[in-house]
Amino acid sequence: ECHYVNGTRLPARLHGPVVSLFLSGGYPPLEYTFVVVASKGSRSSFLSTSVRVQMGRPPVPQITPVPGRIAPGEKLRLRSEVTTAADGALMYEWSAVAERSTHALALLPGPDGTLACAGTQQQNLVLREHTLVAGGTYTFQLAVRDVYGEGSVQLTVQVNEPPTGGWVQVIPGVGLAYKDMFTIVSPGWVDVDLPLLYTFECHAVVDEAAAAVVVVLRDLRPTPGPFDKPMAVEGLPAHSHRVVVKVTVQDSLRAEATSETNITALPPATAAAREALSEVLVGTSAQVLKNGDVDTALVMVDATLGLLNVAALAEDANDGGAENASRPPAEDFGLTPPTEVVHEAYPAKHFLDGGLTP
């Protein structure tokens, strides 16, 4: 007798020591149990065996390995090949294996740009830039199904980590744009994927709604400096003439890290005019002091500081930022402010309108 595994007997009762059958299969495989009974008179004995029959071998997928680590800023393309005995269409399903990944990643089907990826139900998978976290490890699984069953394969991908530990430094912190030489250096960066490339750039501090004009000082050089450069932009009066100096460090797998610092870059023409004016006033006060008139000399020094302050406010007014402008302190111009201010007795405006003699 021939039975299904659930006990149902096949319609035919078979006789003889050898039997040939054509059995149908499926997925999951169909299981058959065969029982043979040998009888002689009142005595009999039997044996049984089971056979599992499927329609064909399930598909065998493979994912092309990704060489080394990938940069977090590049697309991830996973390509697959499938060996199958079926003639019909194959069904694909990509997924991220959470228990073997350092970060959660939901793979959603469809080409919509808002989704994490496209092609989760196709042969190849493409992830957008910056989908994976730097330094993370992800395991992807591809399951393929045909009429004969399902096969799956997994692949682990490591994401490169950007350089760490460095900073950018500019000396001096205050100077004249386009004229003074600034020493720029960016030490301390650490990464296993050498060589490192350094790009230095600068831009004036601007309002949030405005677009800053970025000037590249040095592009993709294999050294962190130091190097000397004039500051290629000047700061805006409304932002205290502050300029941002930024370094971008890139390793050999194109993972990037940045560092920034602020300096003060003064307009060279304005600074030169103030310097010349202050030299005249300081020289005059020195001559007065030489003649023994200490009180007048002190007033002249105070007037010098007042004049520089008025000139700065006038400049800010011309630039439209007089009310909110924040000027660098007098020490930035090489001057020491007096401990007591007496503008009431000798206002700086008097010297602007009537000359240099009190």
Side-chain angles (χ1 to χ4, degrees), residues 295-350:
D295 292 336
T296 303
L298 291 175
V299 172
M300 290 293 295
V301 171
D302 175 60
T304 300
L305 295 173
L307 179 58
L308 294 175
N309 185 54
V310 170
L313 293 176
E315 175 193 326
D316 288 339
N318 292 334
D319 290 333
E323 293 183 1
N324 300 319
S326 174
R327 308 299 304 180
E331 292 87 343
D332 291 346
F333 298 100
L335 302 173
T336 302
T339 57
E340 184 178 358
V341 179
V342 287
H343 290 298
E344 295 79 12
Y346 296 95
K349 190 174 186 304
H350 169 79

Side-chain angles (χ1 to χ4, degrees), residues 17 51 63 69 122 126 144 227 240 275-276 284 299-300 318 356:
V51 177
I63 304 176
R69 296 183 301 278
Q122 300 183 22
V126 180
V144 182
F227 63 95
S240 305
E275 183 179 347
T284 303
V299 172
M300 290 293 295
N318 292 334
L356 300 178

Side-chain angles (χ1 to χ4, degrees), residues 49-104:
T49 187
S50 297
V51 177
R52 293 164 56 91
V53 182
Q54 65 182 30
M55 293 182 64
R57 182 183 179 187
V60 180
Q62 290 182 328
I63 304 176
T64 303
V66 177
R69 296 183 301 278
I70 68 167
E74 68 176 298
K75 285 184 178 180
L76 174 62
R77 293 180 172 87
L78 297 181
R79 296 178 172 85
S80 71
E81 295 181 355
V82 181
T83 302
T84 177
D87 296 329
L90 301 177
M91 297 179 62
Y92 300 88
E93 186 64 37
W94 290 89
S95 60
V97 184
E99 58 269 22
R100 296 189 59 189
S101 303
T102 56
H103 299 79

Side-chain angles (χ1 to χ4, degrees), residues 143-168:
V144 182
R145 182 173 182 138
D146 62 14
V147 294
Y148 297 143
E150 180 179 298
S152 64
V153 64
Q154 294 183 353
L155 177 71
T156 298
V157 175
Q158 290 185 331
V159 186
N160 186 30
E161 192 170 4
T164 58
W167 66 94
V168 62

Side-chain angles (χ1 to χ4, degrees), residues 70-357:
I70 68 167
E74 68 176 298
K75 285 184 178 180
L76 174 62
R77 293 180 172 87
L78 297 181
R79 296 178 172 85
S80 71
E81 295 181 355
V82 181
T83 302
T84 177
D87 296 329
L90 301 177
M91 297 179 62
Y92 300 88
E93 186 64 37
W94 290 89
S95 60
V97 184
E99 58 269 22
R100 296 189 59 189
S101 303
T102 56
H103 299 79
L105 180 64
L107 300 185
L108 304 177
D112 188 346
T114 62
L115 302 179
C117 65
T120 58
Q121 295 178 345
Q122 300 183 22
Q123 182 174 353
N124 301 321
L125 177 71
V126 180
L127 291 183
R128 290 202 319 256
E129 300 91 336
H130 303 288
T131 299
L132 306 180
V133 178
T137 300
Y138 298 85
T139 296
F140 297 93
Q141 176 173 293
L142 171 62
V144 182
R145 182 173 182 138
D146 62 14
V147 294
Y148 297 143
E150 180 179 298
S152 64
V153 64
Q154 294 183 353
L155 177 71
T156 298
V157 175
Q158 290 185 331
V159 186
N160 186 30
E161 192 170 4
T164 58
W167 66 94
V168 62
Q169 185 176 7
V170 182
I171 301 174
V174 179
L176 303 181
Y178 317 112
K179 180 179 179 182
D180 291 345
M181 298 299 289
F182 292 81
T183 300
I184 306 173
V185 64
S186 183
W189 296 100
V190 178
D191 196 286
V192 297
D193 301 306
L194 302 176
L196 301 181
L197 298 178
Y198 300 80
T199 298
F200 295 87
E201 58 190 27
C202 64
H203 64 83
V205 175
V206 298
D207 296 332
E208 292 184 3
V213 178
V214 178
V215 177
V216 176
L217 302 173
R218 223 179 190 198
D219 191 23
L220 293 176
R221 298 291 184 86
T223 172
F227 63 95
D228 296 330
K229 272 275 191 182
M231 198 50 55
V233 296
E234 61 183 70
L236 301 178
H239 293 278
S240 305
H241 298 286
R242 285 183 297 133
V243 170
V244 176
V245 178
K246 175 182 176 182
V247 63
T248 301
V249 185
Q250 183 184 99
D251 67 14
S252 60
L253 297 180
R254 300 195 301 278
E256 293 183 348
T258 63
S259 178
E260 295 181 352
T261 188
N262 285 1
I263 65 167
T264 300
L266 301 168
T270 302
R274 292 180 192 173
E275 183 179 347
L277 187 58
S278 65
E279 287 179 358
V280 172
L281 291 174
V282 172
T284 303
S285 61
Q287 184 62 39
V288 174
L289 181 60
K290 185 177 180 180
N291 294 336
D293 193 347
V294 177
D295 292 336
T296 303
L298 291 175
V299 172
M300 290 293 295
V301 171
D302 175 60
T304 300
L305 295 173
L307 179 58
L308 294 175
N309 185 54
V310 170
L313 293 176
E315 175 193 326
D316 288 339
N318 292 334
D319 290 333
E323 293 183 1
N324 300 319
S326 174
R327 308 299 304 180
E331 292 87 343
D332 291 346
F333 298 100
L335 302 173
T336 302
T339 57
E340 184 178 358
V341 179
V342 287
H343 290 298
E344 295 79 12
Y346 296 95
K349 190 174 186 304
H350 169 79
F351 300 100
L352 284 175
D353 295 340
L356 300 178
T357 305

